[in-house]
Amino acid sequence: MRRNLFVNYGMGAYEGRDKMAVNMEFTDNLCLCAGGGFSGFGDTKPRNSEIYPQPMGHHLFMWRIPEATENGSFLVARNRFYDASGAAMYAIISPEADTQMHMKDNLYWTTNKNLMNLVGGKSYRPDEFEKYLAEYGEPGAEYVTPDPDAEAEAWFAETGCGRYGAKIFTDRLPEPKYFVGSTEKDALSYEIGEEIVFRLTTQPAGITNFRYVRRGDDGKTDEGMTTSADGIFEYRTSLDCAGYVHLIVTACDENGNPQKDYDVFEGGACAGFDEIRQAGTIPEDFDAFWNRVITEELDSAAPVEIEKKEFHCGDPGDIVYDVKITCPGKYPVSGYLRLPRDAGEKSLPIRVGFLGYGVSSAAIPTKARAIQLNLNQHGIENGQPIEYYQKMDREIFSGFGFDRNENKNPDTVYFKYMILRALQAIRYCRTLPQWDGVNITLVGGSMGAFQATSAAALDPSVTRLEIAVPWMCDLRGTEKSRLGGWRPAADPGLDYYDTVSMASRVNAETVITAGLGDYVCPPSGVTALYHSFSCRKTLTMLQNKTHPYTAPEYDSYTK
């Protein structure tokens, strides 16, 4: 690949995986703003991928190459790598494969202060460029201060390429346009009946026309258009019951059409915070049900390794395994296990991570001084092509957890074996000699938070719980006219799985993060969850945050 112009791409200008290429060249290319494009609708850039939460948006992305390839050779030379949300070269490959990469004479510049290259098993920041040269030894490499726009123009002149779509493909990633502001006081502090005042402006300023929609747990709605000469949107409302108001504001032109590229504001405020409790009741046999399931199904299945394959993560200091562990039900525990190679006995805490709703591979844990096990949702294969997960989603797991016939009885609810896999994962980690014998942290967002909370409720050895935008909270909240979210209907079997019910059994220190504009996992349910925890706990609510979106600037409120 020679003399190409790459601008605003999501994954990478080039991706290599499985085997090192033979006689491959990536030379004399101009690469601008990796990570600047190709995200899913409503997602922030760069888009997530199989390696999430590791950084994405790289100029060159090399991964899953476990060994050297016969006659393998990849020359990366005389390229201009300018700006990336990730790295210029991000190589998660074996040391043997790394020796078949030959980098020289490349120019580097990035606004990413945390990462420039990941090569040779080490990551380097821009301010470590001299260290990069000394350790990795790329001959002729320089860190420069370029003019990317001018160099893009020069590329067109030098190559003679046509300029169809030139504006689309040579513009820099535009500055974000969004709302800033919140309520005039702590958004969680209002009394029932007290006036709630929102004040918002846009960044950049200049918008004077706004469309708004107000909903609330009081069942009231209001919508309309307003004009503000000074560009400040102000809205006043109140709640006559304990709950939340949900406010959606759109920047518009003088005709009421949404302004292009401006993010929508979705936020809210609470009245009567301390009065919001679980709408439903915990079944009288809740503990008896789970004690029976664990005793009859899990206790008789020791956590034995079915499969343990080393995965070359590109970091010589760590070892990563793709593991499968025996578990009751149709599917085993399946995920990626990561440990420092030099860890001695009883030296490391445990950290188990859970994914949100979907069908995907487990994520490779990021580097940490811990026993880390990240699970996929269903006990299936990790690291497969996207087509594998799409097929599994269509043919096996479509709509999992939403079957109302299954959800009539707690024994047939899909999530039963998902929770047993979570518990078995903890039991497996406790068998590893490196565990310090004390510390166990569970981490997850959305459905991952549901899994983590359930496991912490049912395994008293868990010492810390870190959850974000928790799902399945207060399923019967709509029976008290609270705004609902995206979740299964409140059928009788799910009363044994409500995250709020589970929270009442958790002893671990708990940290919760959620969004005031998230109506996949409504804030009323998150508040009921917070009150259900009797352990040491912290809740932080972010203004102008939905389930997938977090504003570039936001106010936060902590309990």
Side-chain angles (χ1 to χ4, degrees):
M1 303 177 70
R2 302 186 184 95
R3 300 186 72 194
N4 296 288
L5 172 64
F6 299 96
V7 184
N8 287 353
Y9 35 96
M11 174 75 82
Y14 173 82
E15 177 187 355
R17 64 185 291 177
D18 299 329
K19 289 186 177 182
M20 184 61 70
V22 176
N23 295 326
M24 171 65 183
E25 288 188 16
F26 190 90
T27 55
D28 300 297
N29 297 292
L30 177 57
C31 303
L32 305 177
C33 200
F38 300 103
S39 289
F41 180 75
D43 292 341
T44 54
K45 300 180 179 67
R47 73 178 180 87
N48 296 340
S49 186
E50 292 99 321
I51 68 167
Y52 180 81
Q54 295 185 55
M56 285 304 307
H58 313 297
H59 295 300
L60 299 180
F61 183 36
M62 307 291 291
W63 70 314
R64 297 188 185 281
I65 304 179
E67 59 190 5
T69 302
E70 185 177 358
N71 299 319
S73 177
F74 185 22
L75 175 64
V76 181
R78 302 179 303 280
N79 301 288
R80 290 168 284 174
F81 295 127
Y82 296 160
D83 212 10
S85 58
M89 168 66 81
Y90 200 82
I92 312 176
I93 60 179
S94 69
E96 296 79 11
D98 192 86
T99 63
Q100 296 184 313
M101 288 196 323
H102 310 288
M103 300 180 66
K104 64 179 184 178
D105 301 323
N106 296 295
L107 303 183
Y108 297 91
W109 172 78
T110 184
T111 57
N112 181 355
K113 293 181 172 57
N114 298 314
L115 183 63
M116 184 193 74
N117 271 354
L118 174 62
V119 287
K122 294 183 178 181
S123 60
Y124 298 92
R125 302 188 305 269
D127 62 1
E128 297 176 319
F129 190 74
E130 295 301 322
K131 180 181 178 182
Y132 166 72
L133 294 179
E135 293 183 352
Y136 191 71
E138 179 184 340
E142 294 182 47
Y143 194 84
V144 298
T145 303
D147 184 339
D149 293 334
E151 294 192 35
E153 291 296 322
W155 179 89
F156 279 103
E158 293 166 3
T159 61
C161 287
R163 298 187 62 87
Y164 175 75
K167 179 173 177 56
I168 296 173
F169 294 108
T170 62
D171 276 356
R172 299 290 293 156
L173 183 66
E175 291 297 319
K177 298 178 181 180
Y178 53 94
F179 281 89
V180 293
S182 184
T183 47
E184 65 177 357
K185 70 174 196 175
D186 186 325
L188 304 182
S189 68
Y190 287 93
E191 301 293 333
I192 296 172
E194 181 181 359
E195 185 177 56
I196 300 169
V197 182
F198 290 88
R199 288 193 181 93
L200 311 175
T201 59
T202 56
Q203 176 62 39
I207 299 298
T208 58
N209 298 287
F210 306 93
R211 182 181 298 278
Y212 62 87
V213 177
R214 180 262 195 221
R215 308 187 302 155
D217 292 333
D218 55 3
K220 298 176 182 177
T221 60
D222 179 34
E223 60 182 288
M225 282 284 301
T226 186
T227 298
S228 171
D230 61 5
I232 298 174
F233 172 84
E234 183 174 297
Y235 185 79
R236 297 172 181 267
T237 189
S238 64
L239 286 158
D240 57 12
C241 65
Y244 281 81
V245 60
H246 179 206
L247 183 65
I248 305 169
V249 184
T250 304
C252 296
D253 63 20
E254 61 274 12
N255 297 316
N257 300 311
Q259 285 278 13
K260 183 180 179 182
D261 298 331
Y262 271 88
D263 296 342
V264 173
F265 174 91
E266 281 201 61
C270 180
F273 180 89
D274 291 333
E275 298 182 31
I276 299 174
R277 295 294 193 274
Q278 185 174 10
T281 57
I282 300 174
E284 291 184 2
D285 63 341
F286 180 91
D287 294 316
F289 168 75
W290 282 109
N291 288 337
R292 173 180 62 78
V293 169
I294 291 170
T295 300
E296 293 180 0
E297 300 199 51
L298 192 62
D299 288 347
S300 61
V304 177
E305 292 172 352
I306 303 171
E307 187 177 280
K308 188 177 184 181
K309 300 183 296 185
E310 184 172 353
F311 172 82
H312 293 278
C313 66
D315 184 345
D318 285 3
I319 189 164
V320 176
Y321 296 103
D322 184 348
V323 296
K324 292 183 178 63
I325 312 300
T326 54
C327 192
K330 185 176 180 180
Y331 297 98
V333 176
S334 178
Y336 285 115
L337 173 70
R338 183 169 187 164
L339 309 94
R341 290 183 184 272
D342 63 356
E345 290 190 6
K346 298 183 178 181
S347 65
L348 299 176
I350 290 169
R351 188 174 178 88
V352 183
F354 304 93
L355 289 173
Y357 195 95
V359 181
S360 65
S361 171
I364 300 169
T366 55
K367 189 175 182 67
R369 197 75 190 170
I371 296 168
Q372 297 185 88
L373 178 58
N374 282 356
L375 306 185
N376 69 50
Q377 303 97 329
H378 306 286
I380 57 178
E381 296 292 329
N382 297 301
Q384 299 302 302
I386 189 65
E387 293 79 12
Y388 167 84
Y389 301 105
Q390 291 172 340
K391 183 177 181 181
M392 296 287 276
D393 191 3
R394 288 192 308 270
E395 298 181 2
I396 299 176
F397 300 112
S398 178
F400 71 88
F402 282 76
D403 188 315
R404 301 199 65 176
N405 286 323
E406 290 181 349
N407 292 343
K408 291 177 181 177
N409 184 325
D411 270 307
T412 57
V413 170
Y414 178 83
F415 299 118
K416 183 176 87 168
Y417 289 107
M418 180 179 284
I419 290 172
L420 291 183
R421 288 194 294 271
L423 293 170
Q424 191 76 322
I426 299 169
R427 293 186 177 195
Y428 167 72
C429 288
R430 291 204 307 256
T431 69
L432 300 177
Q434 296 91 340
W435 179 42
D436 63 18
V438 177
N439 295 293
I440 302 176
T441 298
L442 306 185
V443 182
S446 192
M447 189 182 76
F450 155 73
Q451 296 171 77
T453 304
S454 300
L458 300 172
D459 189 330
S461 70
V462 175
T463 57
R464 184 173 173 84
L465 179 63
E466 299 174 4
I467 55 176
V469 292
W471 194 52
M472 291 268 287
C473 293
D474 194 26
L475 294 176
R476 295 191 179 276
T478 53
E479 296 176 4
K480 286 196 172 183
S481 300
R482 295 170 184 167
L483 293 173
W486 183 83
R487 57 200 188 185
D491 290 310
L494 288 180
D495 288 337
Y496 297 79
Y497 295 82
D498 194 307
T499 309
V500 179
S501 299
M502 289 291 187
S504 67
R505 270 60 175 174
V506 172
N507 296 316
E509 179 180 1
T510 298
V511 177
I512 313 164
T513 304
L516 286 168
D518 183 355
Y519 280 82
V520 172
C521 301
S524 61
V526 175
T527 303
L529 174 77
Y530 169 79
H531 288 307
S532 185
F533 284 110
S534 60
C535 54
R536 184 178 177 185
K537 59 193 176 184
T538 302
L539 167 65
T540 300
M541 288 284 204
L542 307 185
Q543 191 62 277
N544 199 9
K545 174 173 174 55
T546 66
H547 203 66
Y549 172 80
T550 302
E553 298 179 57
Y554 55 82
D555 292 326
S556 63
Y557 308 96
T558 299
K559 291 287 188 177

